[in-house]
Amino acid sequence: MGMVGNAGAPPVVIQSGAATENNSLIKRTFGKYLAMSILITLSATLGMMIDNVIAGNLLGSGAVAAIGMSLSVFMLFSGCAGIIETGAVALCARALGNRDAQRVNALFSVSLLAALCAGVVLSVGGVVAADALATLLGATTGQLHADTAAYLSGICMGAFAIVLLQLLMGFTRLDNAPQLGMVAIIGMSVCDVAFNLVAVCVLGLGLWGMGAATALAYCVAVAICCTHFASKRNTLRLVNPLPHLGKLSSVLKVGLPGSLTRVTVMLRTFTFNWLLLVVASGAAVAALSMLSSVNSFASSVTIGVGQTATLLCGIFFGEEDRAALKATLRTGLRMGLMLSCALCAAVFVFAPQVVGLFGLDGEAAAFGVVAVRAFMLCVPIDLINQLFVSYYQSTGNVRAASAIAVGQSGLFAVLFALCTVWTWGAVGVWMSFLVGEAITLALQVVVACVLWKRRRAKAGSVDVASTLATGLPAPAGPVRASLLDKMMYLPETFQVDWLADQAFSCKPNIESVVECSRNVAAWCQAQGIDGRRAYLIPLAVEEMASNAVEHGFAKTKHPAIDVKLILKRDGTLMLRMRDNGAPFNPMDLDLSAADPYSAVGIRMLRQGVRGVEYQNTVGLNNVVVTLSASA
């Protein structure tokens, strides 16, 4: 038996298992969107990975080194895409949590315009300045310079498509069409391989042809994503972006940490290329290029987990749901660590075979095996760091996200490499990835514990003053805090107007629905809710949940219903009901020809309440009912 109540109210007895946070919806939604998020992340560098494999097998290690020298520019494209996509999706998720469709459409239109403009500038500038860029990146003379310039002039033609693709995939995922991202990636991959083979083997266009083929493949992926915005399922609407250009600064600010990651990686790659040329050889640079592709693949898992967390945490932050935020972080850690550890073990064991895929041999292959095995040890730690970067972005803590992003992606790694490469040689570079991630995580934990201690000391004095002034218990976070609680850094105003709340999980059967309705009624009674609302809310829960059970779960593999009640300090009562059934707005139910004694709860909800709002986001029906104290 569970006991639920709040200070000053009698405890209410809730039947076992009925009053727990319904984490099953969060887990299933996270798992559903994780694969798509990984593919979105992978799309940013998948073209270069394919080029590396084909170049290594058809053109030799010199071509792989040239592509590796071009990686910094490719990361610049990815960084521009990331800053816009991450910021726009995080802010749109928050707006969805606040049920603000107009803001979502404004952000969608502004970010699309920004991505298009940035992409065109990068395309034109990259093609025109390809030769100068090759020199700037360290390929100053000889065949390496010629190959690098040729590849850059080809790939830069598709810079606008690379930037647009990442943004469009982010919005299709946000707009309940995550599967389209998989179609776009598959289409791009097939086209990239085919176009590359034609360019190299048939037309003899060499590295320029490979770059141009990859650019064209990205254009194909963009065209596939655009089909969603012409479909009936699309809920995103283009509006005139000019009146909303001020929102672009918020998009860039929230997306800044992701961009800092890519910019830092670009600088790290430039520094490591230079160090390896000085202390080792061109074979070590080819190994680093190969490692960058492995890194891109591994990072697609870690960043993909983070991007999924950004989407869900943005929504839950907009709803001010602390428990759901914590459940999302736990789910991300659990799923992410399982995937990253499995990936780490597999690649570590089969490192020679992985290196062989890129066509490296001799000294380059020897460097490559050591590099891959050393790097893979950092992937699970990178997962934790990346998850918190994404979480802080979604909750508006840009400073914390930026600090972690810079630390994990290059600062500490470069410092370690600069200190050790002169004695350890290339091994100092390979080990720097693990050291950089570990130092970043350790500093996070230390800073979180120190700040939590200071915050609790400050909150203690404020709580006493608030209680004396109002006679009401002051809001506060968990007293017995786990490390995860300490690292969440929620603002002091978070849930400040909540007096009490309770979540109920409801199984997809009528018996559980009736039980949930009774528990909702018992909770309302325990909180002193007035008779009309205490009667109306349980009745509405029973009818809406019964409708979902009877009609909404026919094609749902693992149906679940989540009910949450929130009592605010001004007496307002909110009911939030969420399920993963077929899209259906109970307020659209046609009651004109129905039995006048049916759907009593829904009929009453349509009369005299402050608001009933519905939206379908990330595949979940979400109904929010607000009843004022005077209802």
Side-chain angles (χ1 to χ4, degrees):
M1 302 289 283
M3 302 294 293
V4 180
N6 69 293
V12 55
V13 179
I14 301 297
Q15 295 185 22
S16 177
T20 57
E21 287 291 340
N22 189 8
N23 294 338
S24 61
L25 271 181
I26 293 176
K27 292 176 182 177
R28 287 173 182 138
T29 304
F30 199 103
K32 174 183 176 182
Y33 278 79
L34 177 57
M36 310 307 168
S37 298
I38 290 174
L39 286 174
I40 290 174
T41 306
L42 190 60
S43 70
T45 53
L46 183 59
M48 182 164 280
M49 290 175 59
I50 293 173
D51 288 356
N52 261 322
V53 172
I54 294 178
N57 286 278
L58 296 181
L59 301 177
S61 298
V64 176
I67 295 175
M69 298 301 292
S70 307
L71 179 61
S72 296
V73 172
F74 208 93
M75 293 303 298
L76 176 63
F77 302 160
S78 178
C80 290
I83 190 172
I84 299 173
E85 185 266 338
T86 303
V89 170
L91 289 176
C92 284
R94 280 192 233 167
L96 287 171
N98 289 321
R99 303 175 297 283
D100 188 348
Q102 290 183 342
R103 180 171 174 80
V104 171
N105 290 330
L107 288 166
F108 168 62
S109 303
V110 168
S111 60
L112 194 61
L113 175 64
L116 183 60
C117 293
V120 170
V121 170
L122 289 172
S123 286
V124 175
V127 172
V128 172
D131 192 73
L133 283 174
T135 302
L136 180 64
L137 294 172
T140 54
T141 58
Q143 189 62 41
L144 181 61
H145 173 83
D147 288 345
T148 303
Y151 183 77
L152 282 172
S153 63
I155 194 67
C156 285
M157 291 191 295
F160 75 96
I162 295 171
V163 175
L164 277 177
L165 177 62
Q166 196 165 336
L167 179 67
L168 293 177
M169 290 180 70
F171 275 114
T172 56
R173 179 187 55 166
L174 186 72
D175 200 33
N176 298 320
Q179 69 285 346
L180 191 61
M182 182 177 293
V183 176
I185 289 297
I186 292 174
M188 188 203 77
S189 302
V190 172
C191 289
D192 196 16
V193 172
F195 296 164
N196 268 298
L197 292 177
V198 170
V200 175
C201 299
V202 178
L203 302 178
L205 298 177
L207 280 172
W208 180 89
M210 291 188 68
T214 300
L216 183 59
Y218 274 102
C219 293
V220 172
V222 168
I224 293 173
C225 284
C226 285
T227 61
H228 170 74
F229 303 101
S231 70
K232 294 181 179 180
R233 296 182 59 188
N234 174 44
T235 65
L236 297 169
R237 299 288 180 264
L238 278 173
V239 298
N240 182 7
L242 298 181
H244 306 287
L245 288 178
K247 292 182 172 61
L248 185 59
S249 61
S250 298
V251 171
L252 299 178
K253 179 181 178 181
V254 173
L256 179 63
S259 181
L260 284 175
T261 297
R262 291 172 172 86
V263 171
T264 308
V265 168
M266 179 180 70
L267 295 175
R268 182 189 70 190
T269 302
F270 174 80
T271 303
F272 285 180
N273 277 331
W274 174 76
L275 286 175
L276 290 173
L277 284 174
V278 172
V279 303
S281 63
V285 174
L288 181 64
S289 176
M290 176 276 307
L291 183 61
S292 297
S293 293
V294 175
N295 184 7
S296 297
F297 182 76
S299 295
S300 69
V301 174
T302 60
I303 297 177
V305 170
Q307 292 292 340
T308 306
T310 297
L311 181 63
L312 296 181
C313 287
I315 294 173
F316 297 142
F317 185 77
E319 295 177 352
E320 292 195 35
D321 195 331
R322 182 194 303 268
L325 285 171
K326 190 173 180 179
T328 302
L329 284 175
R330 284 176 171 169
T331 300
L333 286 170
R334 187 180 300 111
M335 291 186 178
L337 286 174
M338 288 176 60
L339 284 173
S340 60
C341 288
L343 177 65
C344 176
V347 176
F348 190 92
V349 171
F350 295 103
Q353 288 76 18
V354 171
V355 173
L357 288 175
F358 294 88
L360 299 185
D361 53 17
E363 186 182 15
F367 276 124
V369 172
V370 177
V372 167
R373 285 178 169 163
F375 170 78
M376 292 310 297
L377 296 176
C378 81
V379 174
I381 306 176
D382 177 46
L383 180 281
I384 300 173
N385 287 328
Q386 187 57 53
L387 178 61
F388 279 99
V389 168
S390 299
Y391 165 75
Y392 294 139
Q393 284 180 283
S394 66
T395 57
N397 194 339
V398 177
R399 184 168 60 179
S402 299
I404 299 171
V406 172
Q408 71 160 150
S409 58
L411 175 61
F412 299 119
V414 169
L415 292 176
F416 180 83
L418 288 172
C419 293
T420 60
V421 72
W422 313 110
T423 54
W424 292 5
V427 175
V429 172
W430 312 142
M431 290 302 300
S432 66
F433 296 99
L434 174 61
V435 173
E437 296 285 357
I439 293 176
T440 302
L441 180 58
L443 288 175
Q444 279 188 76
V445 172
V446 171
V447 171
C449 291
V450 171
L451 292 181
W452 176 265
K453 186 175 181 180
R454 292 179 180 176
R455 184 171 180 177
R456 293 308 304 174
K458 178 182 177 182
S461 59
V462 173
D463 290 352
V464 172
S466 177
T467 302
L468 291 175
T470 65
L472 294 173
V479 176
R480 294 184 178 179
S482 65
L483 180 59
L484 189 58
D485 289 311
K486 297 174 182 178
M487 297 179 71
M488 287 176 70
Y489 294 142
L490 292 173
E492 295 180 0
T493 56
F494 200 77
Q495 295 184 352
V496 71
D497 60 341
W498 289 26
L499 182 61
D501 66 282
Q502 182 61 56
F504 300 89
S505 60
C506 183
K507 296 179 181 179
N509 58 67
I510 297 300
E511 293 77 11
S512 181
V513 168
V514 173
E515 177 188 359
C516 182
S517 177
R518 290 172 179 169
N519 288 324
V520 168
W523 185 85
C524 288
Q525 181 182 6
Q527 305 305 319
I529 305 297
D530 58 90
R532 183 176 184 274
R533 293 190 297 172
Y535 168 76
L536 175 60
I537 288 295
L539 185 61
V541 167
E542 184 170 346
E543 290 184 358
M544 288 191 292
S546 297
N547 185 73
V549 169
E550 294 173 0
H551 306 291
F553 293 142
K555 297 182 180 180
T556 304
K557 292 183 179 179
H558 302 286
I561 302 172
D562 178 22
V563 177
K564 187 149 193 168
L565 294 171
I566 303 165
L567 178 61
K568 296 192 174 182
R569 291 178 172 272
D570 63 358
T572 299
L573 179 64
M574 292 183 64
L575 163 67
R576 180 179 293 119
M577 194 165 170
R578 191 178 276 132
D579 69 76
N580 59 347
F584 175 69
N585 183 355
M587 296 301 105
D588 290 340
L589 187 65
D590 184 8
L591 300 176
S592 59
D595 183 346
Y597 295 102
S598 66
V600 177
I602 294 178
R603 292 177 187 274
M604 294 180 68
L605 280 177
R606 293 181 179 182
Q607 305 172 8
V609 300
R610 183 189 296 179
V612 179
E613 299 170 283
Y614 167 83
Q615 63 182 9
N616 186 279
T617 308
V618 292
L620 300 177
N621 292 304
N622 193 34
V623 180
V624 179
V625 180
T626 304
L627 295 94
S628 62
S630 59

